[in-house]
């Protein structure tokens, strides 16, 4: 009989499971806390669970193993970038960042990515598989244990497209929310998508209060198609219509990400066009001077043009900030550590 991944069970499922193996239901809460709050890596760490039950669990179930194989720490701001190996020897990345509002972890949702955005390193090694909900949550548990510091915010902005792994991502948000587990409120969770339109409508109906970020990066379909293949499937108009519906249903503000690329999308005209697109929406724009990747074709917009872009949007009444660059002395752009890992095992 195959062992089950016990971290995939939601609280009610764990209760049913514990009863099904002839044990009292209340043990489920104790076990859930060990798994989803403390993040134990073996059943023997569960000190208030009898040895008989621990042995039973060991025979029938397993705890997924997320192993930190590299941690790069920024000397400038304490940002830590982790390369994490999964049970099947594939690897993902998570980034720990310190902000004034608390520690934030940027998590991966897939091993690799299918989306093919031209400026992004995550996509260069192709797509291997979806992450399980327990592997998404596991990144927080693993890093929290390693750093011994509480993580209070989570951003789904690591490797992968969250809405291309919809069910597992939604399940992971519910696991992370659970008060017997990490207990991180949905308002402290942001999910970023390149814009898989039907899934935005679906997410709006889930009754999850997380913040949605849209990776827009261009103001015309023509330009967006050049840098983001997903634009061939959904137009900016379709995307923004879905966003408006999301705001209407959830009453939550949407954040638009815009990576500023030198000479591509960073002109004054682009800023005006962006302001026109977002007029009347409860939105916030996050400008990211593009992070240059190895062998990439794109260059970062100049500081001057970034500032001008921001001022133009702000003067049009669109609340705009420039993302503070963290960990600039480490391989902070997602996908670069994994790329190195793949190159090293293929040597
Ligand atoms: N697939 C999701 C989430 C992962 S990427 C998405 O597309 O939103 C998280 C954010 O980082 C996205 O806005 C993405 O476009 C951006 N990004 C990726 N590579 C980047 C780079 N080299 N420089 C700046 N931003 C980048």
């Amino acid at each position: 009989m195959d062992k089950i991944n016990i971290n995939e069970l939601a609280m009610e499922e764990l209760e049913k499971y514990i009863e099904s193996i002839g044990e009292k239901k209340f043990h489920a809460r104790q076990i859930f806390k060990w798994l989803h709050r403390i993040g134990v890596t073996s059943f023997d760490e569960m000190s208030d669970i009898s040895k008989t039950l621990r042995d039973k669990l060991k025979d029938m179930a397993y705890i997924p193993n997320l192993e930190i194989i590299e941690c790069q720490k920024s000397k400038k701001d304490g940002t830590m970038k982790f390369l994490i190996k999964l049970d099947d020897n594939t690897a993902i990345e998570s980034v720990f960042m310190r902000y004034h509002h608390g520690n934030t972890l940027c998590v991966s949702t897939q091993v690799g990515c299918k989306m093919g955005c031209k400026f992004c390193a995550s996509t260069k090694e192709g797509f291997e598989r979806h992450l399980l909900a327990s592997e998404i949550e596991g990144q927080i548990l693993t890093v929290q244990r390693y750093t011994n510091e509480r993580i209070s915010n989570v951003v789904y902005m690591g490797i992968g497209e969250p809405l291309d792994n919809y069910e597992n991502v939604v399940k992971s948000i519910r696991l992370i929310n659970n008060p017997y587990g990490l207990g991180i409120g949905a308002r402290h969770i942001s999910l970023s998508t390149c814009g898989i339109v039907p899934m935005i409508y679906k997410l709006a109906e889930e009754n999850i209060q997380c913040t949605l970020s849209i990776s827009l990066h261009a103001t015309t379909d023509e330009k967006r198609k050049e840098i983001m293949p997903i634009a061939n499937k959904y137009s900016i108009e379709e995307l923004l219509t879905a966003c408006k519906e999301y705001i209407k249903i959830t009453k939550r503000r949407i954040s638009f990400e815009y990576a500023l690329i030198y000479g591509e999308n960073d002109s004054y005209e682009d800023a005006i066009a962006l302001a026109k697109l977002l007029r009347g929406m409860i939105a916030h724009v996050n400008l990211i001077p593009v992070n240059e990747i190895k062998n990439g074709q794109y260059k970062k917009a100049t500081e001057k043009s970034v500032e001008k872009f921001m001022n133009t949007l702000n003067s049009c009444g669109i609340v705009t900030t420039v993302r503070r660059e963290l960990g600039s002395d480490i391989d902070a752009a997602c996908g670069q550590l994994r790329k190195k890992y793949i190159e090293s095992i293929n040597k």
Side-chain angles (χ1 to χ4, degrees), residues 106-107 109-110 113 115 117-122 156-163 191-195 213-217 228 256-261 288-293 323 333-334 336:
C106 173
V107 295
T109 53
Q110 295 176 319
C113 187
M115 297 300 126
C117 300
K118 293 269 171 55
F119 48 82
C120 180
S122 303
Y156 283 68
M157 292 189 183
I159 298 173
E161 168 48 48
L163 297 188
L191 186 152
S192 178
T193 177
C194 62
S213 293
I214 304 288
S215 301
L216 194 57
H217 306 325
M228 301 176 75
F256 288 91
E257 287 153 284
Y258 195 97
L260 283 163
I261 309 171
I288 324 161
V290 82
N291 214 322
E292 291 170 22
I293 60 174
R323 185 176 298 169
C334 272
Q336 309 208 92

Side-chain angles (χ1 to χ4, degrees), residues 1-3 12 20 27 89 205 208 325-326 334-335 343:
M1 196 181 70
D2 278 348
K3 289 189 182 186
E12 312 74 59
S20 78
H27 291 308
N89 285 335
E205 302 292 346
I208 297 176
E325 202 175 355
L326 289 174
C334 272
E343 280 161 6

Side-chain angles (χ1 to χ4, degrees), residues 125-303:
E125 300 303 313
F127 172 82
E128 282 187 71
R129 68 172 175 92
H130 294 305
L131 291 188
L132 299 168
S134 58
E135 292 171 325
I136 298 171
E137 183 208 30
Q139 296 167 59
I140 311 167
L141 294 163
T142 305
V143 171
Q144 199 164 261
R145 266 202 137 186
Y146 178 90
T147 58
N148 222 353
E149 286 186 61
R150 184 177 137 74
I151 290 165
S152 52
N153 298 276
V154 181
V155 293
Y156 283 68
M157 292 189 183
I159 298 173
E161 168 48 48
L163 297 188
D164 184 44
N165 183 14
Y166 186 86
E167 299 300 333
N168 293 347
V169 162
V170 168
K171 188 172 171 185
S172 74
I173 296 176
R174 298 199 202 282
L175 277 178
I176 294 166
N177 278 167
N178 194 302
Y180 294 101
L182 288 163
I184 300 174
R187 284 171 180 259
H188 295 270
I189 299 174
S190 291
L191 186 152
S192 178
T193 177
C194 62
I196 304 186
V197 167
M199 295 299 148
I200 295 175
Y201 286 103
K202 202 166 170 196
L203 187 67
E205 302 292 346
E206 294 283 351
N207 201 15
I208 297 176
Q209 286 290 304
C210 68
T211 302
L212 185 64
S213 293
I214 304 288
S215 301
L216 194 57
H217 306 325
T219 55
T220 62
D221 287 325
E222 195 189 351
K223 176 54 78 183
R224 200 162 186 261
K225 280 179 195 169
E226 264 178 46
I227 57 178
M228 301 176 75
I230 192 73
N232 292 301
K233 228 168 164 178
Y234 309 106
S235 67
I236 292 179
E237 195 188 339
E238 286 170 306
L239 177 57
L240 294 181
T241 305
C243 291
K244 285 174 192 156
E245 189 64 17
Y246 186 90
I247 296 172
K248 206 165 118 194
I249 295 175
T250 63
K251 315 271 186 300
R252 300 280 291 154
R253 179 176 81 165
I254 289 189
S255 180
F256 288 91
E257 287 153 284
Y258 195 97
L260 283 163
I261 309 171
Y262 179 78
E264 294 287 335
N265 61 0
D266 59 344
S267 68
Y268 174 75
E269 289 72 29
D270 284 308
I272 295 290
L274 184 56
K276 272 197 189 142
L277 283 176
L278 303 183
R279 189 177 289 155
M281 274 172 96
I282 327 173
H284 168 261
V285 173
N286 210 338
L287 299 174
I288 324 161
V290 82
N291 214 322
E292 291 170 22
I293 60 174
K294 219 174 138 194
N295 303 325
Q297 62 187 111
Y298 297 122
K299 294 261 165 293
K300 197 179 272 198
T302 62
E303 263 179 51

